[in-house]
Amino acid sequence: DIQMTQSPSTLSASVGDRVTITCRASQSISSWLAWYQQKPGKAPKLLIYQASSLESGVPSRFSGSGSGTEFTLTISSLQADDFATYYCQQYNSYWTFGQGTKVEIK
Amino acid sequence: QVQLVQSGAELKKPGSSVKVSCKASGGTFSSYGINWVRQAPGQGLEWVGGTIPIFGNPKYAQKFQGRVTLTADESTSTAYMQLSSLRPEDTAIYYCARDRLPAALHDTSDLWGQGTMVTVSS
């Protein structure tokens, strides 16, 4: 099974900050990686697919990069609506999620 | 616009089974993969399994092999997840999620159901 390791687990930031979350796969997954945002009581929302493709309707301040085993999600200027938990997900072989990164207000 | 509408909350006894439904409202899904993901209270996301109904080839996470069965009724555009031999640690929200693209070998999901809370307690 492919393991996904996200860091950090928690991130404290302010509105306007640049935020980066990292995800590492236990083996190469090419670019078969997605990023999701989840708010309390809601289903996950797709932000990025195929490592760097922005899902329709998602603000351009979100971007993804990486391939192979190392990936990042960047929020260029954090907005109030962005405080949430973020998950990476590999879909090279079935699905596996990272453990999540909670973005909190500093 | 297609929506995934899941069945309501369930309260089950340990050792029993639960069957959760996921209906595609406003469209069909037979050529799209349908995956099931669960989230225990305060925890992360965990993949349970997935299937492409038109192919009928369910795949299950190792952890749930032998306890979970995924099926689909194409005539009603409804997918089902049955989990048996329930234990308290199966208490979670169970989500269905449809792949972005039809019949894709590698795909993630852009469409999720609202979730079904399954509580296992004596």
Side-chain angles (χ1 to χ4, degrees):
Chain A
D1 289 6
I2 299 174
Q3 308 302 316
M4 304 300 292
T5 304
Q6 251 180 272
S7 61
S9 298
T10 307
L11 189 160
S12 296
S14 302
V15 171
D17 284 353
R18 182 181 181 88
V19 166
T20 299
I21 299 169
T22 299
C23 186
R24 176 175 294 129
S26 60
Q27 64 189 73
S28 177
I29 57 170
S30 185
S31 295
W32 302 118
L33 184 105
W35 290 96
Y36 283 91
Q37 177 193 69
Q38 188 180 32
K39 295 183 178 179
K42 299 293 187 182
K45 174 188 174 183
L46 181 65
L47 300 175
I48 302 284
Y49 62 93
Q50 214 161 326
S52 60
S53 295
L54 191 68
E55 172 68 356
S56 176
V58 174
S60 59
R61 63 182 178 272
F62 291 92
S63 64
S65 64
S67 66
T69 61
E70 299 278 339
F71 302 87
T72 59
L73 172 71
T74 300
I75 309 172
S76 60
S77 178
L78 197 67
Q79 301 300 300
D81 190 49
D82 302 337
F83 292 99
T85 300
Y86 294 83
Y87 294 93
C88 62
Q89 177 214 35
Q90 71 81 19
Y91 52 101
N92 177 72
S93 175
Y94 304 154
W95 285 10
T96 314
F97 293 91
Q99 77 274 23
T101 295
K102 185 175 183 181
V103 177
E104 305 182 320
I105 299 173
K106 190 172 184 178
Chain B
Q1 180 142 352
V2 181
Q3 294 182 69
L4 298 181
V5 181
Q6 297 185 225
S7 49
E10 301 266 10
L11 174 60
K12 294 292 183 180
K13 300 281 190 191
S16 67
S17 298
V18 68
K19 192 170 186 177
V20 179
S21 68
C22 170
K23 181 176 175 61
S25 172
T28 61
F29 63 63
S30 60
S31 58
Y32 287 79
I34 296 287
N35 286 270
W36 292 85
V37 173
R38 77 177 189 180
Q39 187 169 38
Q43 302 301 307
L45 303 169
E46 181 176 35
W47 182 71
V48 175
T51 185
I52 302 178
I54 198 171
F55 296 147
N57 60 339
K59 304 289 191 291
Y60 303 121
Q62 183 81 10
K63 177 178 180 177
F64 301 101
Q65 286 275 2
R67 284 208 301 142
V68 66
T69 304
L70 303 184
T71 56
D73 181 343
E74 293 179 53
S75 68
T76 60
S77 297
T78 304
Y80 300 92
M81 182 209 67
Q82 182 164 347
L83 187 63
S84 61
S85 302
L86 288 168
R87 23 211 199 226
E89 52 266 37
D90 292 318
T91 294
I93 299 172
Y94 289 77
Y95 293 102
C96 61
R98 193 196 75 171
D99 282 357
R100 291 181 55 249
L101 301 171
L105 179 59
H106 300 282
D107 208 2
T108 185
S109 173
D110 62 349
L111 182 65
W112 291 63
Q114 83 276 18
T116 296
M117 182 70 212
V118 175
T119 304
V120 184
S121 174
S122 54

